[in-house]
């Protein structure tokens, strides 16, 4: 006979989660409830002397099928709201009536059946299943193999989208970028070496001016960018004799050529 | 305890699955209802295999699992293809024709 406690455990483990199929709102919650139903059914199979099927149930249904459901759920957008408008008037009540009638009919008819179960004999362990599967049903097995391959190819064909435009190579993309007026070289990294090496400070160009676009746009949008002017100011206040000739205000292009600075130093040395 | 109780449980699960197919608009949820119905059929097959003490029922349930796996692959591929074409997986799209 069959373990009674196991039956009630399985019944409690399967029916309430299955009801979430009707009442839960989010598809991800429903998928996880159905996983629970599948695990409960696997326990039922083990209790019904079919341990091989129990393991297959866990591997195939909870492991593969329901995970694929979740994948597709994520692909099509998990937070998509279900449209609850009724297009056929009273469809909800008609459907509930039909399904309830079906349940009533099946339960009342099946409940009246009195079959005395055979005493416990064969157990569906892998060896026994294999004897039947590869003996009597070997042709069905072959056909199922063909079916699986066909299904895989069919899924590939259906989800494959042909490329509408020719593939653009990396060098073509780069040429287009330069043609559009982009800088052909990399942007400078943010941060001032040896002073403030954080990402929020703009880099300084050779004349000591901050380069605004060296800081990430995200920090700019969040208003977390530091100006960089204080670093520049400290650079100019240093008592470096080489900077002697530099004007104290904003550095100018005119004053800052290397030749002029060298000449100024030479004059200083002569004095 | 008689294994027929499992068949009753299977009928209840089957009815819940069919109600989901009739009620829900989301194609994926309706598809999960179909899966639940297949599982209910499997449960009754295994229960009958136990009642008659033969392995044929279990082998049938195994075949149903294989077919269900192939069906899920193709069905979900169809859902993805439909979603790409119409940006929606609602089963009620023909209602849009009424305006």
């Amino acid at each position: 006979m069959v373990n009674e406690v196991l039956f009630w455990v399985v019944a409690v483990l399967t029916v309430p989660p299955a009801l979430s199929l009707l009442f839960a709102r989010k598809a991800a919650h429903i998928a996880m409830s159905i996983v629970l139903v599948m695990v409960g059914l696997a326990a039922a199979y083990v209790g019904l002397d079919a341990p091989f099927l129990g393991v297959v149930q866990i591997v195939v249904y909870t492991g593969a099928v329901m995970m694929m459901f979740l994948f597709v759920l994520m692909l099509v957008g998990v937070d998509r709201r279900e449209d609850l408008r009724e297009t056929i008037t009273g469809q909800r009540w008609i459907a509930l009536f039909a399904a309830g009638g079906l349940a009533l009919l099946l339960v009342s008819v099946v409940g009246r059946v009195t079959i005395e179960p055979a005493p416990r004999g064969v157990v569906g362990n892998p060896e026994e299943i294999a004897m039947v599967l590869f003996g009597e049903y070997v042709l069905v097995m072959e056909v199922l193999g063909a079916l699986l391959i066909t299904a895989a190819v069919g899924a590939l064909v259906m989800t494959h989208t042909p490329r509408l435009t020719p593939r653009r190579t990396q060098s073509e993309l780069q040429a287009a970028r330069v043609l559009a007026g982009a800088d052909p070289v990399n942007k400078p990294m943010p941060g001032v070496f040896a002073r403030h090496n954080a990402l929020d400070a703009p880099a300084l160009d050779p004349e000591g001016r901050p380069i605004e676009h060296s800081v990430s746009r995200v920090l700019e949008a969040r208003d977390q960018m530091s100006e960089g002017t204080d670093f520049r100011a400290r650079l100019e206040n240093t008592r470096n004799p080489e900077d002697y000739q530099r004007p104290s205000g904003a550095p100018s292009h005119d004053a800052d050529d290397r030749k002029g600075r060298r000449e100024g130093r030479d004059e200083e040395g002569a004095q | 305890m008689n294994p027929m109780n499992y068949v009753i449980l299977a009928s209840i699960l089957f009815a819940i699955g069919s109600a989901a197919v009739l009620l829900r608009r989301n194609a994926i949820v309706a598809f999960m209802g179909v899966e639940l119905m297949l599982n209910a059929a499997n449960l009754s097959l295994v229960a009958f295999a136990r009642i008659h003490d033969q392995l044929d029922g279990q082998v049938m349930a195994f075949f149903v699992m294989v077919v269900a796996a192939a069906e899920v692959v193709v069905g979900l591929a169809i859902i993805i293809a439909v979603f790409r074409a119409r940006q929606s997986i609602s089963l009620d799209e023909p209602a849009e024709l009424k305006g």
Side-chain angles (χ1 to χ4, degrees):
Chain A
M1 285 293 137
V2 179
N3 191 338
E4 192 161 349
V5 178
L6 179 70
F7 172 78
W8 287 111
V9 168
V10 167
V12 170
L13 208 61
T14 51
V15 174
L19 283 174
S20 78
L21 210 48
L22 305 180
F23 301 116
R25 288 198 175 275
K26 291 190 174 169
H29 294 176
I30 298 175
M32 292 320 288
S33 317
I34 298 297
V35 167
L36 196 57
V37 174
M38 304 294 182
V39 173
L41 287 180
Y45 293 166
V46 175
L48 285 167
D49 289 345
F52 175 68
L53 271 190
V55 174
V56 170
Q57 168 87 7
I58 294 227
V59 171
V60 171
Y61 272 108
T62 63
V65 170
M66 292 320 293
M67 290 310 117
M68 206 153 80
F69 268 106
L70 283 176
F71 266 136
V72 173
L73 218 54
M74 302 298 158
L75 267 181
V76 303
V78 73
D79 51 350
R80 191 166 289 273
R81 301 289 303 186
E82 193 174 350
D83 188 8
L84 290 175
R85 283 175 302 164
E86 284 196 329
T87 45
I88 308 169
T89 344
Q91 186 202 357
R92 188 172 307 163
W93 301 113
I94 296 173
L96 277 180
F97 178 74
L102 179 69
L104 204 66
L105 189 71
L106 282 174
V107 170
S108 62
V109 170
V110 171
R112 284 172 53 194
V113 173
T114 52
I115 301 181
E116 196 50 40
R120 186 176 173 176
V122 288
V123 175
N125 52 28
E127 290 91 349
E128 300 287 335
I129 294 275
M131 293 304 284
V132 182
L133 195 61
F134 295 107
E136 201 176 338
Y137 294 100
V138 66
L139 190 64
V140 185
M141 181 82 190
E142 302 274 348
V143 173
L144 279 183
L147 174 76
L148 277 180
I149 292 180
T150 316
V153 173
L156 278 182
V157 168
M158 246 172 303
T159 51
H160 177 257
T161 47
R163 180 178 285 279
L164 295 175
T165 52
R167 186 188 170 87
R168 300 179 76 193
T169 60
Q170 206 172 6
S171 60
E172 281 171 3
L173 285 174
Q174 174 66 10
R177 216 175 290 143
V178 173
L179 270 182
D183 213 343
V185 295
N186 289 349
K187 285 180 183 174
M189 296 292 287
V192 182
F193 184 63
R195 283 184 180 274
H196 187 79
N197 213 7
L199 291 180
D200 63 333
L204 300 181
D205 68 0
E207 293 169 359
R209 289 174 304 181
I211 308 172
E212 297 283 338
H213 62 260
S214 68
V215 177
S216 162
R217 273 181 304 161
V218 177
L219 292 179
E220 210 178 322
R222 283 188 194 155
D223 212 10
Q224 287 177 338
M225 195 176 124
S226 72
E227 285 296 319
T229 43
D230 43 345
F231 305 117
R232 185 187 67 183
R234 276 160 65 191
L235 187 74
E236 287 180 356
N237 284 338
T238 48
R239 279 288 175 201
N240 190 345
E242 303 221 343
D243 281 340
Y244 183 72
Q245 284 288 324
R246 293 186 69 169
S248 58
S252 74
H253 288 278
D254 313 342
D256 199 44
D257 58 335
R258 206 179 269 178
K259 198 178 160 206
R261 256 159 63 192
R262 201 188 303 127
E263 281 167 359
R265 201 163 58 225
D266 288 347
E267 282 170 19
E268 198 180 334
Q271 286 166 5
Chain B
M1 189 182 193
N2 199 313
M4 274 315 275
N5 288 325
Y6 279 105
V7 183
I8 295 176
L9 177 64
S11 353
I12 293 172
L13 289 179
F14 190 91
I16 293 175
S18 63
V21 173
L22 290 174
L23 275 174
R24 301 307 291 250
R25 311 284 173 77
N26 189 333
I28 294 181
V29 178
F31 204 29
M32 282 194 244
V34 175
E35 285 303 307
L36 189 64
M37 289 160 81
L38 281 167
N39 268 283
N42 263 352
L43 181 60
S44 68
L45 280 173
V46 175
F48 278 121
R50 170 71 189 82
I51 290 171
H52 294 291
D53 196 26
Q54 284 177 346
L55 283 180
D56 297 64
Q58 295 187 16
V59 175
M60 290 296 165
F62 182 69
F63 289 157
V64 170
M65 280 183 193
V66 176
V67 174
E71 174 229 338
V72 163
V73 169
V74 175
L76 290 180
I78 291 175
I79 288 179
I80 289 181
V82 169
F83 178 75
R84 276 201 191 134
R86 331 181 49 160
Q87 301 299 310
S88 160
I89 52 167
S90 174
L91 292 176
D92 237 11
E93 284 301 307
E96 301 289 319
L97 291 176
K98 284 202 290 191

